[in-house]
Amino acid sequence: KASEFAATLDAIEARYGVDRWIILAIWGIETSYGGARDRWDVIRSLATLAQARHRHPYFRNELINALLILQQRHIARNAMLGSWAGAMGQPQFMPSSFLDHAVDFSGDGRRDIWTNVPDVLASIANFLQKAGWTAGLSQGFEVIVPAGFDHRRSRGSFGDWSARGLRRADGAAFPTAGQAILFFPSGARGPAFLVTDNFVTIKRYNNSDVYALAVSHLAD
């Protein structure tokens, strides 16, 4: 089974161009690699939030999308479980994300993000690819900022950052091409990172700097 799993990751990485470790990190963070089970009825959750006009009309629209998923028979009504806010399955997709990004990678005729691991991993990869993932580009890394650095500088090429005296914390070389943003998640006295457009792409999965950093660290 380990060899089959590796072969599945090979195929997903080849088709979507998304780093396998990023895919696995998101899967792990969202549902502990499928070990955390959903417990809430998606329709009831979304109907409650829609009726309360929470972030209206977002949850009303998600409720309509959830009903469309049932109408298209992607999953049985009693198996449509998710989070308290309607995020579903092992990748924790909202219904709109399911309709836009879920794929049938196993070829069984269903887009199953609840129990089918190849579909789960490929759906995460498809989401990131459509969100703008650039194949072969690092999402970022920790850097050492020299004393006396001008903190008004926040963007530049890797060549620019090297010329300004920044070095990777792990001692590796900077990429030979590309742009990066200097990011201090805990303020200028805390750790510093150079992050790329792929870091921004991870945030489209969950719009949180902390989330994107957690994914990056786990992937590393």
Side-chain angles (χ1 to χ4, degrees):
K1 284 192 174 181
S3 61
E4 291 178 6
F5 185 70
T8 297
L9 286 171
D10 287 341
I12 291 171
E13 202 170 47
R15 180 177 299 184
Y16 298 101
V18 179
D19 186 290
R20 69 183 62 198
W21 307 114
I22 294 292
I23 298 168
L24 292 173
I26 289 175
W27 185 34
I29 288 171
E30 293 295 345
T31 54
S32 190
Y33 310 101
R37 299 298 180 183
D38 290 324
R39 54 182 294 199
W40 304 104
D41 184 307
V42 168
I43 300 300
R44 288 176 61 90
S45 295
L46 293 173
T48 299
L49 291 165
Q51 192 279 333
R53 298 180 70 83
H54 181 60
R55 293 174 58 189
H56 186 75
Y58 176 75
F59 284 105
R60 181 200 65 187
N61 294 340
E62 290 297 342
L63 173 60
I64 293 170
N65 286 327
L67 293 171
L68 181 59
I69 290 169
L70 288 178
Q71 184 180 58
Q72 294 176 351
R73 304 194 178 197
H74 293 289
I75 189 168
R77 171 71 180 84
N78 62 355
M80 196 177 193
L81 302 177
S83 74
W84 67 271
M88 308 181 303
Q90 295 185 35
Q92 288 292 277
F93 276 2
M94 293 300 292
S96 59
S97 292
F98 176 93
L99 292 172
D100 291 340
H101 304 297
V103 296
D104 171 22
F105 197 77
S106 66
D108 65 357
R110 296 181 58 224
R111 295 191 282 170
D112 180 4
I113 62 170
W114 288 268
T115 64
N116 188 309
V117 170
D119 287 4
V120 169
L121 301 181
S123 296
I124 294 171
N126 187 44
F127 184 107
L128 293 173
Q129 183 195 60
K130 288 184 176 179
W133 186 269
T134 299
L137 177 67
S138 169
Q139 71 278 2
F141 34 75
E142 187 175 355
V143 293
I144 305 300
V145 178
F149 179 78
D150 182 357
H151 287 82
R152 292 174 297 180
R153 297 181 178 272
S154 62
R155 296 173 184 267
S157 68
F158 286 111
D160 293 333
W161 292 119
S162 180
R164 292 166 185 165
L166 274 70
R167 298 291 180 266
R168 286 184 60 158
D170 61 7
F174 283 143
T176 56
Q179 302 287 314
I181 301 168
L182 183 58
F183 175 47
F184 295 93
S186 302
R189 294 184 179 180
F193 297 83
L194 284 179
V195 298
T196 70
D197 287 343
N198 277 351
F199 185 89
V200 178
T201 299
I202 295 170
K203 289 180 62 177
R204 294 192 177 106
Y205 200 98
N206 184 319
N207 190 22
S208 163
D209 291 331
V210 172
Y211 182 88
L213 282 173
V215 169
S216 299
H217 276 306
L218 184 54
D220 288 344

